[in-house]
Amino acid sequence: MRFFREVFKPPFNLNEIIKQFFQIGNKSLGLVGITGFIIGFVLALQAIPTLQPFGATSLIPSMVGLGIILEIGPVITGLICAGKIGSSIGAELGSMKVTEQIDAMEVSACNPFNFLVISRVVSTTLMIPLLIIYADVIALLGGYLALNVVSDVSIGLYFSQVFDALSIGDIIGPTIKTFFFGFTIGIVGCYKGYNADKGTESVGIAANSSVVISSLMVIIWDMIAVQITNIIL
């Protein structure tokens, strides 16, 4: 609740938000990209032996597109981010707590909650949806390369079939839930790190619990989003 009370209170540490925004994106870009490519490639590769005997390989682009955009891309990338970014935030703030850097900031009249927590939560809330969109695009490219193993389809035709299978709601719904993924990963990592106990073992505990709780929350948010989507549509 403290986050919602203070997020709109000045001072706004825009420089710290931008710094965290680029750090989170830069450090995760490689891992997210490789994961996305493997997901798309394997998904298409698994579908080929099933559809090829029926002469239905033309359905693979739409199947890969729906699978990646609706569920697999956001959830797998969200879990990867929970593991990498959530643990990083939990360990970083936990280490600052143990070494009394947060106490020192309070003594020097600096608001550590505003500087450390709000900047990181805002950054993860905005950056993780971008990482998931990036992973989705890489995954679709992976699916295209896998499909070219058995058929010679142009990339233009492939993406045309992918987007023909998707409606606006198919894109907007999964994108909205990724903001909740990002917020949850940031707030859990900051809470665990900021409230870590004294002692070096607390850093590891903060990092591990951040990963476990964030991952579980990503799955719960996804389940809620699916239920809401089913009700609306």
Side-chain angles (χ1 to χ4, degrees):
M1 295 304 294
R2 184 179 176 184
F3 172 83
F4 294 106
R5 289 199 304 270
E6 297 195 17
V7 66
F8 296 110
K9 282 185 181 178
F12 302 108
N13 297 296
L14 290 178
N15 289 336
E16 182 65 14
I17 291 173
I18 294 171
K19 176 186 170 186
Q20 293 298 326
F21 186 81
F22 280 106
Q23 279 190 346
I24 291 169
N26 187 44
K27 289 180 179 177
S28 308
L29 214 57
L31 178 62
V32 168
I34 293 170
T35 304
F37 177 83
I38 293 172
I39 291 171
F41 191 87
V42 171
L43 183 62
L45 214 57
Q46 292 280 7
I48 289 169
T50 304
L51 298 179
Q52 196 172 31
F54 303 99
T57 52
S58 61
L59 296 177
I60 292 178
S62 57
M63 191 204 73
V64 171
L66 288 169
I68 293 295
I69 301 296
L70 292 181
E71 277 299 321
I72 301 174
V75 173
I76 298 296
T77 309
L79 292 174
I80 292 290
C81 290
K84 188 173 193 312
I85 299 171
S87 65
S88 174
I89 292 175
E92 182 185 14
L93 296 194
S95 177
M96 294 180 72
K97 181 76 172 184
V98 170
T99 56
E100 299 182 345
Q101 292 180 59
I102 293 178
D103 296 335
M105 292 175 73
E106 291 177 344
V107 171
S108 62
C110 175
N111 185 343
F113 188 88
N114 185 300
F115 186 80
L116 298 174
V117 175
I118 291 178
S119 61
R120 282 162 177 76
V121 175
V122 170
S123 299
T124 55
T125 304
L126 298 177
M127 175 49 78
I128 286 178
L130 295 178
L131 287 172
I132 290 176
I133 292 171
Y134 165 73
D136 287 348
V137 173
I138 298 294
L140 293 176
L141 287 172
Y144 167 72
L145 291 178
L147 182 59
N148 268 265
V149 173
V150 295
S151 66
D152 187 19
V153 58
S154 71
I155 192 167
L157 177 61
Y158 172 81
F159 276 98
S160 172
Q161 291 178 335
V162 167
F163 288 110
D164 283 345
L166 294 167
S167 66
I168 295 296
D170 292 334
I171 297 174
I172 292 177
T175 302
I176 291 174
K177 72 181 178 185
T178 61
F179 286 96
F180 290 93
F181 291 176
F183 174 78
T184 299
I185 291 168
I187 202 77
V188 170
C190 288
Y191 177 82
K192 288 296 178 181
Y194 198 84
N195 295 287
D197 296 327
K198 301 292 183 183
T200 53
E201 72 277 3
S202 299
V203 178
I205 294 172
N208 288 337
S209 57
S210 298
V211 174
V212 173
I213 297 174
S214 298
S215 300
L216 181 62
M217 289 301 299
V218 165
I219 294 172
I220 291 174
W221 276 125
D222 184 64
M223 182 184 68
I224 294 172
V226 169
Q227 293 299 322
I228 292 174
T229 303
N230 289 338
I231 292 171
I232 294 175
L233 299 180

